[in-house]
Amino acid sequence: MFRSLVVLALSAGSAVAQPGKSDDPAKKYPDFATVTKGAKQTEGLFSLYLKDDHLYAEILPHQFERPYLFAAAIAKGAGVGGTTLLGDESWVLYFKKGVDKVYLCRKNTRFRAKSGTPAGKATDTTYSDSVLLALPIKTLNPMKASTVIDLNQIFFSDFAQLGIGALDSSRTTWHKVKEFKRNAELEVAATFTGRGAAGGDDVIDDRGVSLVLHYSLIEMPEPGYTPRLADDRVGHFISVVKDFNAAESNETAFVRYVNRWRLERADGSAWKPGAKLQPPKKKIVFWIENSVPDEFRAAVREGILEWNKAFEKIGFRNAIEVRQQEDEDFDPEDVTYATFRWVTNEQSFAIGPSRVNPLTGEIFDADVLFDASMVRFEKLNFRVLRNSKGQMFEPASEIEAGRRGWFLPSDPLSRLRGGRNDRVDPDAVELDANLARRLKSLRYGYCQCASFKTSELALAVMARSVADGTKGGFKIPEELLQQAVKETVMHEIGHTLGLRHNFKASTMLPNDKLHDTALTANGLVGSVMDYNPANIAPKGTKQGYYFTPTIGPYDYWAIEYAYSPGATEDELKKIASRAAEPNLSYGTDEDLFTTADPLVNQWDLGNDPLAFARDRIAVTRELMPKLADTVVESGEGYQRTRTAFQRLLGQYGNAAALAGRFVGGEAMYRDHKGDKDARDPFVPVSAAKQRDALKYLQEAVLTDKPFDFPPELLRKLAADRWMHWGNENTFRRVDFDLNGRVLAVQQVALRALFNPATLKRIQENALKAAKGDKPLTLAEVFRASTDSIFADLAGDGAKSSVIRRNLQRAYLTRLSAMVLGPKADSFAVPVTADARSLARMHLKDVAKKVDAALKNGKLDDTNRAHLEEVKEQIAKVLAASMTVGEF
């Protein structure tokens, strides 16, 4: 999550009209000595005076019109300590002095044009500054010709726009005031009341919510930094302005700068291949805070320093330095310290926020937050979401849920604002209607790399325990835990260096080479910026690295583009033109949500996600019979068996999500015309691969055969029976809803196959298919699904299971919806006309099979009742479709 920045300029300039002048202004205010008498004074960026819980700031004449960056964060409290504020907004503020007041104004920063040009005049006319606050002048200091204001009037308000209620000034105090030469670090212990204060859970009291808010006033970085234009072939966070002069010669007015640190060779020279390594003029120094447990400090250090390998390739020696905090006293929020911090808030996350000059893209500070819950994975945590009705549900596939944006928060602070982080509908045909709004969180670096590693760690430990014949609880391999921490650190440090996610990087190696340690010592994946799962060896294969031991070739490439000293525009284009190289594959967050590329996934590994899915199911089936003995120690209850079983069942859902991605899929590329080996932007998945994936779904998901679990295991799926605050499962089902959970897994496949976008793309991809390739057709998808789901009717239909009957009902519901069309108030998108016709035909086909089965005297009452209901439902749908004017 990136900290947004506000640039402050203390200006006596011309943006705001001034009241009339006074002949003797000093006589209008209390004496300076009187106002500051007894105050605790600090010196640094400003002269500050803390008196009677008021903090006065003395502004010197030369400080007016000097820009200052502003950053805000929640330092402590309410389970959101470490959260950065203001989203992806970048403000430029300046103070303007009137006769009796100082005006705090917001300056337009998103739009610009060169002064004196027609575009510049038009921009000045179109976009204006805004006055945010009018601050009374408290006193003047004639000895320094300075002006004194009360900072309470800024920071004892909801200045950072948290939106969690009204700040109660009677319960708000200054928590910390520290100053440095280049920055002032201010903390306010604030209590908010109102709509956001009511929650009644473990961190929110109905009478208010208390937070420690951290504000930074920062001197602008020194001049001399050269912004670097971004390229869409390489994934960096960017700072964007709209330059109307640029629009005169380019197809867009947007100017996009790479977010990067100012890193220059010691002699100031540009780097050329073969040049000797040099240290940078100023290193990037990360401090490991003493909150990091001793046993993980080595892994943290190694994870940070791995990135020096990429910098060495472009001429830097020891570009990054790591120091361990011992007796040093510093604030992690202090911009002069880049820190790695250990926090505990039970959310199992790690984030790498940075502070960036919004005008140039220069990174000047970064802090990594690592939640300790990731390494306390023995709970086998599973994710709970809320559907559109506010009801809790557990996603059947975390891969599907991640790709559909269900885990994205609409707002990091929504819980404190009285809302929910996730309002999703697991049965929605299309993406969540609010996805566009939720995607905004990605622009300020929302990251869940560590959140899901709890599940991956637990799965790896279970697999290792079964392989070793361990009984009675987890035996955690030390190398597994250390590798997981190191890889997560590499990922978050990558964010602090300016790199975005790359969800295509996990496809670098063939699946059968993932445990070849001679090969994978140089990396399991193309980039550590992917969400990489645990690399679990299939039965009969010697375990290799659980997680990648080093950064990948894409990471080297992204660093080369952003940090090559003195690179010209032509040199940068040459670097980016390598995009088609196999190991440099790139697909980021928006590609995950808005493309159909089956290689852009979270939590897959190897160049064939379908093979990965098969391997994971094989591991799952190996674990199931021995699950209770593996995860429960003597003397414990069986509650852990339930969460472990649910975790394993989720592997079936993940497999369905990965396989379904191939049907109607098309690869997405960012290559530019003229790049070496450039590919078309969209290339359909081969028909053979699509049919392979469809067959897998028939055999492994759209049937009841894989879900025949041992009865002795199902009897041990005990529920958590504690009732107290913080335990949200108390009033949920005690018995395990196996049939419902299996259906949820099967719905993953149905959503993938019959999403209107998928059906439309199957037809359109036929027009893009390579010569000689026999495209997959809609008819094949419908036929494969019907034949698999109603396979029992091919016999006598007498042995249909509950699982199969539930699947048949779900399938018929989808076919019926296609025939009848979406409801008027629905967000669902209608299917293509051919898909509707095929759905109608298959309803008739099923009806004929049902008629034949009903004539069979071997049916029991349950199966006969089911088939009679199916027959009646189909008849009503077919009749209704002809009366609503569809044709």
Side-chain angles (χ1 to χ4, degrees):
M1 202 179 293
F2 278 166
R3 289 182 176 143
S4 68
L5 302 175
V6 179
V7 180
L8 298 180
L10 303 178
S11 171
S14 59
V16 180
Q18 299 185 36
K21 295 182 179 179
S22 171
D23 293 335
D24 190 5
K27 293 182 179 179
K28 298 176 61 176
Y29 307 105
D31 183 69
F32 174 80
T34 301
V35 172
T36 59
K37 183 179 180 181
K40 179 181 179 181
Q41 183 178 355
T42 60
E43 294 291 342
L45 185 64
F46 299 103
S47 293
L48 299 180
Y49 302 87
L50 182 60
K51 178 183 178 181
D52 298 331
D53 215 24
H54 282 262
L55 184 63
Y56 300 105
E58 185 178 4
I59 305 170
L60 299 172
H62 74 274
Q63 292 178 313
F64 289 102
E65 298 191 14
R66 293 184 63 179
Y68 295 88
L69 298 171
F70 173 78
I74 297 177
K76 300 177 183 178
V80 289
T83 300
T84 56
L85 303 176
L86 304 178
D88 68 338
E89 292 290 325
S90 296
W91 296 353
V92 174
L93 304 185
Y94 57 87
F95 286 106
K96 178 175 178 53
K97 185 179 177 183
V99 173
D100 299 314
K101 296 180 177 65
V102 172
Y103 298 95
L104 178 59
C105 306
R106 180 177 181 180
K107 186 174 179 62
N108 158 47
T109 57
R110 291 190 169 181
F111 308 95
R112 74 183 185 192
K114 186 177 180 180
S115 179
T117 65
K121 294 178 181 178
T123 302
D124 289 341
T125 300
T126 308
Y127 303 101
S128 61
D129 301 342
S130 302
V131 178
L132 302 182
L133 294 171
L135 309 171
I137 296 173
K138 293 301 179 181
T139 185
L140 302 176
N141 184 355
M143 299 294 294
K144 298 181 181 179
S146 58
T147 303
V148 177
I149 59 173
D150 187 352
L151 295 182
N152 287 41
Q153 294 179 302
I154 301 175
F155 300 121
F156 277 32
S157 69
D158 191 13
F159 184 69
Q161 298 182 318
L162 275 69
I164 63 173
L167 184 141
D168 183 350
S169 60
S170 68
R171 289 188 279 171
T172 297
T173 61
W174 288 98
H175 184 261
K176 184 186 295 184
V177 176
K178 297 188 75 170
E179 284 212 275
F180 307 90
K181 183 178 180 180
R182 292 189 53 238
N183 55 298
E185 304 298 325
L186 312 175
E187 288 189 355
V188 176
T191 296
F192 291 85
T193 60
R195 66 178 183 276
D201 63 9
D202 55 321
V203 294
I204 305 174
D205 192 287
D206 291 336
R207 295 162 293 185
V209 55
S210 295
L211 305 167
V212 175
L213 305 175
H214 191 105
Y215 300 107
S216 299
L217 294 170
I218 309 159
E219 192 172 61
M220 286 285 283
E222 297 177 359
Y225 173 82
T226 303
R228 178 156 296 182
L229 291 175
D231 191 291
D232 67 333
R233 290 166 287 187
V234 195
H236 300 99
F237 287 107
I238 56 177
S239 295
V240 182
V241 296
K242 204 166 190 178
D243 189 323
F244 293 102
N245 290 119
E248 297 171 357
S249 55
N250 302 324
E251 63 181 31
T252 178
F254 285 114
V255 178
R256 306 172 180 97
Y257 296 128
V258 171
N259 288 355
R260 62 186 188 128
W261 296 77
R262 184 185 306 203
L263 209 60
E264 302 167 314
R265 282 163 61 87
D267 63 4
S269 64
W271 175 78
K272 300 296 180 185
K276 293 183 178 180
L277 296 181
Q278 290 185 9
K281 288 182 179 179
K282 184 180 180 181
K283 296 180 179 181
I284 303 171
V285 179
F286 277 95
W287 284 84
I288 300 177
E289 194 181 57
N290 53 21
S291 59
V292 177
D294 291 341
E295 61 267 32
F296 297 118
R297 290 182 181 181
V300 170
R301 176 181 292 272
E302 292 171 8
I304 298 172
L305 292 177
E306 280 293 325
W307 286 96
N308 272 337
K309 296 177 180 178
F311 287 108
E312 287 176 0
K313 292 291 186 181
I314 54 173
F316 289 108
R317 179 189 297 114
N318 297 329
I320 300 176
E321 180 181 327
V322 176
R323 300 175 187 173
Q324 176 64 54
Q325 182 189 17
E326 299 294 348
D327 298 325
E328 296 84 358
D329 181 22
F330 60 81
D331 293 316
E333 291 82 8
D334 181 355
V335 296
T336 58
Y337 291 90
T339 61
F340 186 98
R341 309 171 62 188
W342 205 266
V343 297
T344 302
N345 67 6
E346 300 299 328
Q347 295 184 39
S348 183
F349 76 99
I351 55 175
S354 298
R355 293 179 177 179
V356 183
N357 182 345
L359 304 177
T360 65
E362 180 183 0
I363 300 174
F364 58 91
D365 180 41
D367 299 285
V368 176
L369 300 177
F370 193 104
D371 180 44
S373 299
M374 194 198 90
V375 298
R376 296 202 311 271
F377 58 88
E378 68 276 3
K379 295 181 181 179
L380 295 163
N381 298 334
F382 52 89
R383 289 305 190 91
V384 176
L385 301 177
R386 294 180 186 271
N387 64 16
S388 57
K389 299 178 181 179
Q391 300 166 331
M392 290 189 295
F393 74 95
E394 296 134 23
S397 165
E398 290 188 334
I399 287 179
E400 181 202 40
R403 188 167 64 232
R404 293 168 68 88
W406 292 348
F407 291 133
L408 289 177
S410 57
D411 188 323
L413 298 177
S414 62
R415 183 171 61 93
L416 296 182
R417 291 171 178 159
R420 297 186 179 96
N421 266 3
D422 300 277
R423 289 180 179 270
V424 300
D425 186 350
D427 293 320
V429 178
E430 286 292 274
L431 293 175
D432 176 29
N434 295 321
L435 180 59
R437 175 172 55 84
R438 295 149 69 83
L439 283 174
K440 182 178 179 182
S441 63
L442 300 173
R443 297 209 300 267
Y444 48 86
Y446 184 75
C447 180
Q448 291 188 307
C449 177
S451 301
F452 293 87
K453 271 198 170 64
T454 55
S455 304
E456 292 298 319
L457 286 166
L459 187 64
V461 169
M462 284 191 284
R464 179 67 174 265
S465 297
V466 168
D468 293 344
T470 304
K471 293 185 178 181
F474 293 122
K475 299 297 182 290
I476 305 173
E478 183 64 21
E479 68 271 20
L480 168 63
L481 200 52
Q482 296 294 333
Q483 289 176 27
V485 171
K486 180 182 177 181
E487 189 201 61
T488 306
V489 171
M490 288 189 288
H491 181 102
E492 301 306 336
I493 292 297
H495 280 322
T496 70
L497 297 175
L499 275 62
R500 293 194 64 190
H501 288 136
N502 181 0
F503 294 131
K504 212 169 185 175
S506 59
T507 61
M508 182 177 73
L509 295 179
N511 292 67
D512 60 359
K513 299 293 184 182
L514 293 174
H515 294 278
D516 181 349
T517 53
L519 178 65
T520 57
N522 295 319
L524 269 170
V525 292
S527 172
V528 294
M529 303 314 297
D530 205 333
Y531 287 179
N532 298 312
N535 182 31
I536 301 173
K539 186 176 181 180
T541 301
K542 184 179 179 181
Q543 177 67 48
Y545 290 102
Y546 287 103
F547 295 98
T548 189
T550 186
I551 60 176
Y554 169 87
D555 302 319
Y556 284 87
W557 182 50
I559 290 296
E560 180 185 6
Y561 185 91
Y563 289 96
S564 291
T568 65
E569 185 175 342
D570 287 342
E571 289 170 335
L572 292 174
K573 289 180 179 179
K574 184 177 180 180
I575 293 170
S577 70
R578 297 171 51 204
E581 293 182 15
N583 291 346
L584 304 184
S585 296
Y586 170 56
T588 194
D589 294 275
E590 56 269 26
D591 302 320
L592 179 75
F593 301 125
T594 60
T595 75
D597 192 331
L599 300 186
V600 179
N601 293 301
Q602 299 169 332
W603 311 109
D604 66 330
L605 191 60
N607 64 359
D608 187 352
L610 189 55
F612 173 79
R614 288 189 171 111
D615 287 344
R616 274 297 176 92
I617 295 302
V619 170
T620 297
R621 288 174 177 162
E622 179 72 13
L623 291 174
M624 280 293 189
K626 309 168 186 177
L627 189 61
D629 287 341
T630 301
V631 302
V632 179
E633 295 186 29
S634 178
E636 291 184 331
Y638 282 98
Q639 288 80 6
R640 192 179 291 149
T641 308
R642 184 187 186 111
T643 49
F645 177 78
Q646 189 161 288
R647 176 59 48 212
L648 294 181
L649 195 57
Q651 295 302 311
Y652 288 89
N654 287 345
L658 291 172
R661 186 81 156 165
F662 282 92
V663 180
E666 59 180 355
M668 183 277 303
Y669 302 108
R670 296 171 177 261
D671 307 353
H672 288 191
K673 183 178 180 180
D675 288 353
K676 183 181 178 182
D677 301 323
R679 301 150 297 189
D680 293 332
F682 298 102
V683 178
V685 173
S686 72
K689 191 67 177 180
Q690 293 188 60
R691 292 187 177 99
D692 188 22
L694 185 58
K695 183 179 180 181
Y696 176 78
L697 291 175
Q698 285 181 277
E699 297 172 348
V701 182
L702 299 178
T703 176
D704 53 2
K705 295 178 181 178
F707 306 107
D708 184 17
F709 303 114
E712 58 271 21
L713 171 62
L714 300 180
R715 293 195 297 266
K716 294 182 173 66
L717 304 182
D720 180 355
R721 304 305 302 275
W722 290 108
M723 181 177 176
H724 54 75
W725 66 263
N727 185 358
E728 299 177 353
N729 298 322
T730 301
F731 293 103
R732 305 177 72 188
R733 286 186 62 165
V734 174
D735 58 312
F736 188 83
D737 182 13
L738 178 63
N739 292 327
R741 297 297 298 164
V742 170
L743 179 60
V745 168
Q746 294 169 327
Q747 290 277 27
V748 173
L750 293 178
R751 279 193 291 269
L753 294 177
F754 296 103
N755 186 301
T758 300
L759 298 174
K760 182 179 181 181
R761 202 164 43 245
I762 289 172
Q763 289 188 308
E764 292 178 345
N765 281 351
L767 306 176
K768 309 173 192 175
K771 186 177 181 180
D773 195 13
K774 185 180 178 182
L776 181 76
T777 65
L778 288 180
E780 289 180 80
V781 174
F782 278 85
R783 177 52 58 198
S785 301
T786 298
D787 288 353
S788 179
I789 294 170
F790 284 93
D792 59 319
L793 297 186
D796 57 20
K799 297 182 180 180
S800 180
S801 66
V802 175
I803 289 176
R804 185 175 288 278
R805 290 195 296 272
N806 287 342
L807 175 60
Q808 290 172 351
R809 294 183 182 104
Y811 180 54
L812 290 177
T813 297
R814 290 188 180 275
L815 292 181
S816 301
M818 292 183 210
V819 172
L820 297 175
K823 297 178 181 179
D825 59 349
S826 171
F827 287 106
V829 178
V831 298
T832 65
D834 284 344
R836 185 177 62 235
S837 298
L838 283 165
R840 183 180 180 83
M841 186 189 82
H842 277 264
L843 286 176
K844 290 183 176 180
D845 186 39
V846 171
K848 292 178 182 178
K849 293 180 180 180
V850 167
D851 278 337
L854 286 173
K855 295 176 181 178
N856 187 338
K858 295 181 181 180
L859 290 174
D860 60 22
D861 285 352
T862 301
N863 280 291
R864 180 172 294 279
H866 167 65
L867 293 180
E868 288 180 348
E869 183 181 28
V870 167
K871 180 180 178 180
E872 183 177 347
Q873 176 186 343
I874 292 175
K876 289 182 178 179
V877 170
L878 294 177
S881 69
M882 298 303 297
T883 62
V884 295
E886 288 286 339
F887 301 97

